[in-house]
Amino acid sequence: MDFITEYTEEERAKIDQDFLRLNDKCYLDHAGTALYGGSQLRAVQELLAGGLYCNPHTSRTMEDLIDLVRYRVLQWFNTRPAEYGLVFTSGTTASLKLVGESFCFGAPDTAGSFVYLRDSHTSVLGMREIVRTERIRPIERADLLQVLNEPAGVQQRHRPSLLVFPAQCNFNGVKYPLELIELVERNGVRGYGEDAFHVCLDAASYVSTSPLDLTRYRPSFVCVSFYKIFGYPTGLGALLVRKDVEQLLLPGKRYYGGGTVKIAMSGSNAFHEKRDTLAERFEDGTINFLSIAALLPCMDALERLVPGATMERIQRHTFQLARYCFRELQALQHANGGRVVELYHDTVFGDPLSQGAIVNFNVLNDDGSYVGFAEVACMAANHSIYLRTGCFCNPGACQRHLRLADTDLLRHYQAGHVCGDANDLIDGQPTGSVRVSFGYCTQLADIDRLVVMIRRCYVRRSLTGPLAVGGLSREEILAQYKSYDRPRLLQICLYPVKSCGPYRVTEGGWRLAATGLRYDRTFLIVDEHGVAMTQKKLPEMCRIRPTIERHRMTLRHDELGDQLVIELDEPVDAEATRSAVQLCQTKVCRDSVQGVDCGDGCADWVSRALGVSGLRLLRQSAQDARLQRRTARELSLNNQAQLLLVNRTSVRWLRDKVDDWDGAEMPSLDSLVDRFRGNLIIETARSLEESDWHRVRIGQSGFSVDGPCTRCQMICIDQASGERTAEPLRTISREFGGRMRFGVYLSHDQDGEPAENGTAAFDRELSCGSTVSGVIENIE
């Protein structure tokens, strides 16, 4: 399609210059947050550095500045202080909560109704828990739109009631006609004859890329978040209240704090009197005054980048991008003519008044089965594309478009799925979807990059037969299990520095420890902020390769002439060394862990090796026990379990299933095994048989199977070069029905093993060449 650019060449150049920090990243989650521009942050810094901005309770100047910001925000939405009052909040959620807990529905026996659009954000659904009425009902999209066709009512309405709906759906960007506001407040809603409705408009998604004209459309309440528009500041929003309905909120305000009261008695006499005006009564405590002040340069910066009817122009630009994306995805086909993408939409992207800058979809295999959204997210991350997956805190819209009944949601929950997890397919049915969204800085090339990724990774370009996910029956498994020589342990790999290269043991053995393999994941690299580094962010980490000899580790990198030598068995008494070391905090797989800084020399070496300044090398603190959530076994800095077992035979099977290595040569089996970063590399007669095991014995040591290893884009990184590929992740997903699992997690069964010759069970040695026996439901 023809794409008519909204920006001049000069404007486009200025916007691109403002976002040079993106480099080769493709950001497609503007519905999650807008991105702040470089000039915007510089303007904020100049404002704050150029004056004294203190607590507004101290400074009249600060009070005046905040009032100026109120005026400018109202002006941004084309209204004025005589028409709307403005309360600063922490965001849309807090604004909705204020309305919910303060709105006066009337006396309990004659209270009005709380009605909410079912396709609403959970912040709206949560209002059901706090509104002061028992008359709570959802309204379906079709019923709400029917208000547009209702004749003018003549019935007298006297019960104060509240209708909440979004100006734009955050799930797929459909916009609701703002004419509904006047019609609902004037004519009511069918089925609620005595209810005098006031509209609370959730405008968070809408105002991110669209102009809101409060002179033309005048809801009673409007809730917004500023990061959705400007990217910065975060944690700041507003509740706009139409002047003629302030009395529906003011009496209902219960809590007070800070300067929101004229007088408050501190004794048993709880007498107090709240302030009179809306903002004075509702802005408890000290407001976020520096962030409020920062809104001025944020508004100015956006108007400089997109001058003249800023939001109208952004609306046109982002809508064209969304329509282009919609049509490009819609046109994708497999070789058999099947759709590649299932789109979830309520419009055909005909005009920007009915459709916002969001496209929502799932990817389909050529047999019509779904690709899990978690796999798509991993593949996108592998291509440096930032997008959003899940249900986007909008279960109503998600249910409607994915055709999920309430019973389906309960079944998914009982199967272990919760909001925000990666459990994307249950019985082949998606639990969520993929969302891409666009902002004023998005380019056409960003969408092309997304479409190329989907075409490259998921479009079948030649006709093939049905995909064979295959497998043997339980009887065949048990029959084969007893008929072949037992598998053996080929190789032991430990990764002393998390996410760096392995130290391999192919002859002899290696000692077990209470956390798994001795020295495995003992160290990690963090950035200057203390955030743990992994190959997902720095693929170059795979080129740091360790060797271990006599309790001493040597780290090498091909492009560095010097080496880093670290003693592995230094004293671990934290009290004795507290004055000599620096304890640091970081997170591994959502766990907070404490590490000991290895010093400036180590920091300098890892920073030079990876080409990133400010890195530090930490050793896990011996005083900081980290336990596995399910089994309570002790962990080092591993992600999920003590050990990962990978079957070389299964890797060979997987390699043979890959259709296309994107024009590159098929990797060697050894290099493909390396990508899975297993600790225990075994070989069996049958591929994937490790998936059936519940327990494993290697030599004299027993292990429990903790479950399959869920894979991410790490396996798409060549461990020799650090280069990224699309495989083997997409083949794993295809062959296992969308489940990205390969390899199994193990934990050492220390409790069930008696000590031998004075050696504790966890201090035994695993030997390469040992026999490996798996147990299926207690049958060997």
Side-chain angles (χ1 to χ4, degrees):
M1 61 164 279
D2 294 330
F3 183 86
I4 303 173
T5 181
E6 177 64 34
Y7 303 144
T8 66
E9 290 186 9
E10 181 181 0
E11 288 168 348
R12 180 76 259 178
K14 285 183 178 179
I15 293 171
D16 293 346
Q17 180 69 28
D18 231 33
F19 291 93
L20 286 177
R21 71 180 188 277
L22 293 182
N23 295 321
D24 66 337
K25 300 179 181 66
C26 176
Y27 182 77
L28 298 178
D29 186 30
H30 291 267
T33 180
L35 293 182
Y36 54 82
S39 64
Q40 174 187 341
L41 283 193
R42 289 190 293 272
V44 171
Q45 193 273 336
E46 289 173 8
L47 172 74
L48 298 181
L52 176 61
Y53 300 101
C54 53
N55 193 311
H57 296 149
T58 304
S59 168
R60 180 65 189 174
T61 301
M62 194 67 207
E63 282 189 10
D64 292 342
L65 179 61
I66 290 171
D67 287 339
L68 173 61
V69 178
R70 287 188 211 277
Y71 175 79
R72 284 289 305 276
V73 171
L74 291 173
Q75 190 179 48
W76 187 270
F77 298 122
N78 196 28
T79 189
R80 55 198 178 94
E83 299 295 329
Y84 276 88
L86 186 148
V87 177
F88 284 114
T89 68
S90 63
T92 299
T93 297
S95 299
L96 291 164
K97 183 172 180 285
L98 268 184
V99 175
E101 64 191 8
S102 302
F103 187 87
C104 296
F105 289 89
D109 55 340
T110 59
S113 301
F114 173 68
V115 179
Y116 61 94
L117 182 69
R118 187 167 178 179
D119 291 12
S120 287
H121 195 277
T122 52
S123 298
V124 173
L125 304 186
M127 296 172 74
R128 298 176 296 187
E129 305 300 313
I130 57 174
V131 292
R132 299 176 197 171
T133 180
E134 298 299 318
R135 302 180 69 231
I136 301 172
R137 298 287 186 275
I139 186 170
E140 300 292 343
R141 167 181 161 81
D143 295 330
L144 177 62
L145 295 177
Q146 186 60 34
V147 172
L148 296 170
N149 303 317
E150 295 287 348
V154 294
Q155 183 175 353
Q156 292 294 319
R157 297 177 174 84
H158 56 85
R159 294 193 301 208
S161 297
L162 191 63
L163 170 66
V164 188
F165 68 89
Q168 174 178 294
C169 178
N170 73 310
F171 182 85
N172 67 356
V174 63
K175 293 180 178 178
Y176 287 85
L178 297 184
E179 291 81 5
L180 286 167
I181 297 166
E182 181 181 357
L183 292 173
V184 165
E185 295 203 352
R186 185 181 66 199
N187 301 331
V189 179
R190 177 182 287 187
Y192 298 86
E194 298 182 15
D195 291 341
F197 275 101
H198 297 270
V199 170
C200 178
L201 190 69
D202 176 0
S205 181
Y206 183 91
V207 298
S208 63
T209 55
S210 300
L212 179 61
D213 186 347
L214 292 182
T215 297
R216 183 177 180 185
Y217 306 106
R218 304 182 70 248
S220 295
F221 312 103
V222 182
C223 304
V224 297
S225 294
F226 293 112
Y227 75 96
K228 298 283 188 179
I229 309 171
F230 308 111
Y232 177 89
T234 58
L236 183 66
L239 169 64
L240 285 71
V241 181
R242 205 174 66 218
K243 283 293 184 178
D244 63 308
V245 298
E246 284 186 355
Q247 287 305 315
L248 288 172
L249 292 190
L250 288 170
K253 177 70 158 53
R254 293 184 177 180
Y255 176 81
Y256 62 88
T260 53
V261 287
K262 299 176 182 178
I263 182 175
M265 305 295 287
S266 62
S268 57
N269 180 358
F271 174 77
H272 70 280
E273 187 170 337
K274 299 182 180 72
R275 293 193 182 272
D276 299 320
T277 66
L278 185 76
E280 287 180 331
R281 183 173 292 202
F282 278 85
E283 289 176 351
D284 292 305
T286 300
I287 57 178
N288 194 351
F289 58 92
L290 291 182
S291 290
I292 292 170
L295 284 176
L296 288 176
C298 291
M299 289 185 278
D300 292 341
L302 189 53
E303 288 176 331
R304 281 196 304 271
L305 286 173
V306 188
T310 297
M311 294 310 298
E312 287 84 352
R313 297 186 66 199
I314 289 174
Q315 178 177 247
R316 289 194 295 269
H317 171 71
T318 55
F319 168 74
Q320 287 194 82
L321 292 169
R323 180 167 61 182
Y324 176 77
C325 180
F326 174 80
R327 292 178 177 176
E328 288 293 299
L329 293 177
Q330 193 177 45
L332 292 176
Q333 287 188 330
H334 291 291
N336 63 5
R339 293 178 301 162
V340 176
V341 167
E342 180 174 270
L343 289 152
Y344 305 120
H345 56 101
D346 291 302
T347 76
V348 291
F349 288 72
D351 68 85
L353 297 181
S354 61
Q355 179 63 49
I358 297 174
V359 179
N360 197 302
F361 62 94
N362 268 317
V363 176
L364 302 172
N365 292 308
D366 63 343
D367 62 356
S369 62
Y370 290 95
V371 176
F373 62 73
E375 184 209 338
V376 178
C378 284
M379 201 62 71
N382 198 38
H383 289 76
S384 297
I385 297 173
Y386 292 71
L387 46 73
R388 190 79 170 267
T389 59
C391 270
F392 324 105
C393 298
N394 194 328
C398 189
Q399 274 187 263
R400 181 165 65 87
H401 285 283
L402 271 59
R403 302 175 294 280
L404 298 172
D406 288 348
T407 53
D408 293 321
L409 262 63
L410 288 173
R411 180 168 53 84
H412 293 171
Y413 178 70
Q414 290 162 358
H417 171 57
V418 296
C419 292
D421 70 11
N423 199 351
D424 51 8
L425 294 174
I426 296 178
D427 298 329
Q429 189 176 39
T431 62
S433 58
V434 181
R435 186 186 74 183
V436 292
S437 50
F438 317 109
Y440 74 92
C441 62
T442 308
Q443 303 184 48
L444 200 65
D446 295 325
I447 297 167
D448 290 337
R449 185 165 166 180
L450 169 73
V451 174
V452 167
M453 184 272 290
I454 293 174
R455 182 182 294 118
R456 174 190 176 199
C457 296
Y458 298 109
V459 175
R460 278 294 184 94
R461 292 178 286 272
S462 60
L463 291 173
T464 61
L467 296 176
V469 178
L472 300 176
S473 68
R474 171 178 167 77
E475 290 74 18
E476 290 172 319
I477 291 172
L478 292 175
Q480 280 200 15
Y481 195 81
K482 296 179 179 179
S483 66
Y484 58 77
D485 291 336
R486 286 188 170 179
R488 295 187 177 274
L489 177 63
L490 299 181
Q491 188 178 122
I492 300 169
C493 295
L494 56 146
Y495 303 83
V497 183
K498 184 176 176 64
S499 220
C500 291
Y503 175 61
R504 307 176 196 279
V505 178
T506 56
E507 296 181 355
W510 195 262
R511 287 202 174 277
L512 291 167
T515 57
L517 292 175
R518 192 177 189 186
Y519 305 138
D520 185 43
R521 273 91 171 184
T522 302
F523 298 82
L524 82 163
I525 298 171
V526 300
D527 67 10
E528 58 188 343
H529 305 295
V531 177
M533 296 287 97
T534 71
Q535 288 186 33
K536 295 177 187 178
K537 187 171 184 178
L538 290 175
E540 182 74 11
M541 291 178 72
C542 69
R543 299 181 65 191
I544 293 180
R545 300 184 176 99
T547 56
I548 296 177
E549 187 175 358
R550 295 174 183 170
H551 312 295
R552 176 179 294 174
M553 176 175 69
T554 302
L555 299 181
R556 297 178 174 83
H557 188 284
D558 295 342
E559 296 181 8
L560 287 186
D562 57 329
Q563 305 167 356
L564 179 62
V565 180
I566 299 174
E567 297 293 335
L568 293 173
D569 289 338
E570 291 181 343
V572 294
D573 183 351
E575 295 298 326
T577 60
R578 188 173 299 278
S579 62
V581 302
Q582 179 181 354
L583 295 177
C584 304
Q585 198 79 13
T586 188
K587 294 191 79 173
V588 173
C589 203
R590 299 185 180 181
D591 291 338
S592 294
V593 296
Q594 194 174 64
V596 179
D597 194 296
C598 294
D600 293 340
C602 294
D604 174 70
W605 191 91
V606 296
S607 295
R608 286 188 292 113
L610 297 175
V612 178
S613 61
L615 300 180
R616 308 293 298 185
L617 182 66
L618 306 185
R619 179 202 301 260
Q620 185 181 19
S621 171
Q623 308 303 313
D624 185 36
R626 180 169 172 250
L627 301 179
Q628 188 182 19
R629 289 185 176 88
R630 191 175 67 84
T631 66
R633 288 189 172 93
E634 192 173 347
L635 295 176
S636 58
L637 300 175
N638 329 63
N639 278 359
Q640 300 288 342
Q642 293 182 339
L643 298 157
L644 174 61
L645 180 145
V646 171
N647 186 353
R648 183 180 171 90
T649 307
S650 300
V651 177
R652 182 184 294 110
W653 169 87
L654 177 65
R655 186 181 65 164
D656 293 341
K657 290 289 184 180
V658 175
D659 293 332
D660 181 10
W661 290 96
D662 298 320
E665 291 185 6
M666 179 185 293
S668 69
L669 184 57
D670 287 338
S671 69
L672 195 56
V673 170
D674 288 346
R675 294 192 183 203
F676 293 95
R677 298 178 62 80
N679 295 113
L680 307 175
I681 313 301
I682 68 169
E683 190 161 35
T684 66
R686 181 174 60 85
S687 62
L688 305 179
E689 76 170 78
E690 67 279 7
S691 303
D692 302 313
W693 295 345
H694 293 115
R695 293 196 309 280
V696 179
R697 178 162 292 277
I698 302 176
Q700 299 302 311
S701 298
F703 302 86
S704 297
V705 175
D706 293 332
C709 176
T710 300
R711 291 301 180 172
C712 65
Q713 65 265 32
M714 283 275 286
I715 63 173
C716 295
I717 299 173
D718 185 309
Q719 293 297 298
S721 65
E723 295 179 358
R724 298 180 187 269
T725 64
E727 292 291 1
L729 187 64
R730 64 184 179 191
T731 297
I732 289 176
S733 176
R734 186 187 71 213
E735 293 298 324
F736 295 103
R739 296 191 176 277
M740 295 176 291
R741 297 173 173 178
F742 201 86
V744 293
Y745 286 126
L746 304 181
S747 290
H748 186 200
D749 285 335
Q750 301 167 22
D751 296 337
E753 295 183 15
E756 292 182 0
N757 300 323
T759 302
F762 66 78
D763 200 32
R764 288 179 180 165
E765 184 173 283
L766 283 181
S767 299
C768 293
S770 296
T771 58
V772 178
S773 58
V775 177
I776 305 176
E777 297 181 356
N778 299 321
I779 302 176
E780 284 193 303

